[in-house]
Amino acid sequence: MQMKPCAEFKSISLVIPVYNEEAVLQRLFGRLDRLMDQIEGPVEVLMVDDGSRDSSAAMICAKAATDARYRYIGLSRNFGHQSAITAGMELAGGSAVIVMDADLQDPPELVHDLIDQWQQGFDIVHARRRSRQGETRFKRLSANLFYRLLNRLSDIDIPVDVGDFRLIDRRAIETFRAMPEQDRYVRGMFGWMGYRQTIVEFMRDERAAGKTKYSLFKMLRLALDGIIGFSDAPLRWALWAGAGVSLAAILYGTYVLTIALLGVRLVSGWASLAVLTSLLSGLNLLMIGTVGLYVGRIHRETKGRPLYIVARDTGRPFASTRADDPVSVADASPHARLWP
Ligand code: UDP
Ligand code: MG
């Protein structure tokens, strides 16, 4: 397919979510500084502090004070990775935005390849992990299973093994800003969007330092958000399971009635009753729970709370490329409130 190259090279925003990453920050700054020297055109780095409790905030502010390309955005508490990157993407001013992790698992040097593809005319460039160094077998296996399951269940095409390391053109960022959902599965949202998308592969490195901030529980939650947010298959399963069990019950009922009518003396039948009742009530609870997952989402959506709260912001390194550039952060971002 023939693509029209970008008319000119424009500004780049790097968005980096940070949650208790004091152990890697110095190394990250070093790699970013080197990277930015190699990129032509203006670059800004938005460090989104997702309520860190260690010295991350102080380290980033110190860096921002000496290097105008860095911007510190402190959220008022821990809102979670997906909300943190949402905040960064909404506040970024670049004509392309690149999201990457703070722990150097996403090698900053890949940014060159992402920008190359962007200049070829792609709007969204995903970085796909070809290998996952230093991650447990369990994490690799569960991630693998999950991506495949999600793709089977949902109607949209979400690239397998793609995390949140990607480049997004301003057009797609504006589309993203217009998507209000509370439970965000960001990679799915970009998959859904369309536009011209492509994939660049990379080797996922080991975490440079520190521990993973994704506990098993957070991982399960993210997986659930992905499935519930992009598929209504679980609701259909509830229907089919209900139908299957009802059919079995009818058959069994017919059988019982028949032998009763034939005059077979029935023993008290306690065992079958007990099994049936517990099986059915278990299924009932499961179905209600499934429906509840969707109702819970509706509940959260109707409250319409802001997705994140910016408590502190050192301001934008370079002016937004948009002409109607709003002055205050609260106006700049459709989903944030600036706390007093
Ligand atoms: N992170 C965040 N908020 C959280 C958890 C994680 O901003 O509640 C950040 C974290 O600092 C890192 C990125 O999200 O930059 C990815 O987290 P992590 O490396 O722990 O996840 P993993 O690579 O193990 O999946
Ligand atoms: Mg990591």
Side-chain angles (χ1 to χ4, degrees):
M1 186 175 15
Q2 196 64 35
M3 298 261 179
K4 206 177 86 220
C6 285
E8 57 190 292
F9 189 87
K10 295 192 198 129
S11 53
I12 304 273
S13 299
L14 299 174
V15 167
I16 303 180
V18 175
Y19 181 50
N20 297 338
E21 299 283 9
E22 61 183 6
V24 292
L25 280 181
Q26 279 318 336
R27 233 181 300 179
L28 175 70
F29 293 147
R31 293 266 289 268
L32 288 178
D33 287 345
R34 237 171 302 145
L35 174 76
M36 284 192 283
D37 291 340
Q38 294 161 1
I39 298 177
E40 41 180 315
V43 185
E44 64 170 356
V45 183
L46 281 75
M47 309 284 296
V48 184
D49 173 14
D50 189 16
S52 299
R53 288 164 206 274
D54 62 358
S55 61
S56 300
M59 289 171 75
I60 299 168
C61 287
K63 181 73 181 168
T66 59
D67 189 335
R69 295 172 299 185
Y70 286 82
R71 171 175 177 189
Y72 172 84
I73 296 164
L75 304 186
S76 64
R77 64 170 168 84
N78 180 251
F79 280 89
H81 180 220
Q82 302 290 300
S83 296
I85 60 179
T86 300
M89 285 187 278
E90 292 189 345
L91 296 170
S95 27
V97 177
I98 297 169
V99 179
M100 65 171 127
D101 286 355
D103 58 5
L104 295 172
Q105 275 193 296
D106 303 335
E109 293 69 30
L110 195 77
V111 162
H112 295 301
D113 298 353
L114 298 180
I115 293 177
D116 270 356
Q117 293 298 318
W118 176 53
Q119 288 183 307
Q120 306 270 320
F122 287 101
D123 297 299
I124 300 175
V125 188
H126 307 275
R128 175 159 51 201
R129 308 148 179 175
R130 210 137 37 90
S131 74
R132 292 162 160 256
Q133 304 272 319
E135 290 188 336
T136 59
R137 267 181 75 134
F138 173 73
K139 177 141 187 173
R140 285 208 301 261
L141 194 78
S142 56
N144 209 312
L145 258 166
F146 166 70
Y147 286 122
R148 274 159 188 85
L149 178 73
L150 181 59
N151 258 342
R152 284 201 66 149
L153 293 187
S154 67
D155 316 322
I156 55 156
D157 200 16
I158 303 171
V160 171
D161 270 344
V162 160
D164 288 305
F165 187 17
R166 67 170 59 75
L167 178 146
I168 309 121
D169 181 78
R170 172 58 42 194
R171 270 209 295 180
I173 287 284
E174 291 306 322
T175 307
F176 182 77
R177 284 162 61 95
M179 292 168 79
E181 55 243 63
Q182 297 275 322
D183 295 286
R184 299 176 92 76
Y185 184 65
V186 171
R187 47 200 88 164
M189 294 166 71
F190 283 115
W192 171 87
M193 221 178 263
Y195 290 123
R196 284 164 297 179
Q197 308 200 2
T198 188
I199 292 172
V200 167
E201 296 207 320
F202 74 105
M203 300 288 234
R204 188 153 163 94
D205 292 329
E206 236 170 286
R207 211 173 212 290
K211 278 210 295 267
T212 174
K213 308 298 181 301
Y214 262 97
S215 58
L216 181 63
F217 182 71
K218 272 192 184 170
M219 239 165 67
L220 282 176
R221 241 199 104 135
L222 182 70
L224 210 61
D225 272 347
I227 291 177
I228 306 283
F230 286 92
S231 156
D232 53 11
L235 287 176
R236 282 194 304 265
W237 292 342
L239 191 70
W240 288 117
V245 171
S246 308
L247 189 71
I250 290 171
L251 291 179
Y252 185 65
T254 318
Y255 161 76
V256 170
L257 211 65
T258 317
I259 54 174
L261 288 177
L262 289 178
V264 180
R265 266 187 80 85
L266 290 174
V267 237
S268 50
W270 181 85
S272 56
L273 267 183
V275 167
L276 268 180
T277 327
S278 53
L279 178 77
L280 288 182
S281 43
L283 261 178
N284 255 323
L285 283 177
L286 194 75
M287 300 314 154
I288 294 174
T290 310
V291 176
L293 287 174
Y294 286 87
V295 176
R297 279 182 83 94
I298 298 172
H299 175 64
R300 275 194 297 281
E301 296 297 342
T302 51
K303 279 190 293 192
R305 296 246 170 97
L307 290 173
Y308 52 86
I309 300 166
V310 176
R312 193 161 164 225
D313 186 352
T314 57
R316 54 193 58 212
F318 56 75
S320 165
T321 47
R322 282 165 298 137
D324 59 336
D325 185 15
V327 181
S328 84
V329 176
D331 295 339
S333 154
H335 301 129
R337 298 279 151 75
L338 191 65
W339 224 233

